[in-house]
Amino acid sequence: MEDLQKMYDEYKSVQNCETSEDFHFAKGQVDILKYMLGLKDMSEKVYEDLCAEEEAHPNEDLMYVNT
């Protein structure tokens, strides 16, 4: 995660972009890195929600519960 954050911090600056192609490439990199950095928090939240749901309904098979 630290490496991703380091790359994100490096690419989010547009100072190194000399052409519009460089800018669009960096923008794409930043978008992807931002998404990847958010995956950890999102995955933890989903896991916590699933655990809470399982605790609330211990005898149900949650695989087939529609929300």
Side-chain angles (χ1 to χ4, degrees):
M1 291 305 292
E2 291 175 19
D3 290 340
L4 289 176
Q5 185 65 49
K6 194 177 197 181
M7 289 172 65
Y8 174 78
D9 293 339
E10 181 180 320
Y11 277 110
K12 72 179 181 179
S13 173
V14 294
Q15 293 175 339
N16 296 330
C17 298
E18 296 177 8
T19 66
S20 64
E21 289 83 14
D22 291 343
F23 172 77
H24 290 291
F25 178 80
K27 184 181 180 302
Q29 294 290 81
V30 168
D31 289 344
I32 291 169
L33 291 166
K34 188 175 178 181
Y35 173 76
M36 291 174 68
L37 288 168
L39 281 177
K40 180 178 184 263
D41 291 335
M42 183 177 61
S43 298
E44 288 173 352
K45 173 72 171 121
V46 168
Y47 178 76
E48 290 169 3
D49 290 348
L50 287 172
C51 289
E53 188 72 24
E54 188 175 282
E55 287 176 10
H57 306 284
N59 296 325
E60 293 182 21
D61 185 5
L62 295 178
M63 205 81 163
Y64 302 103
V65 174
N66 289 328
T67 55

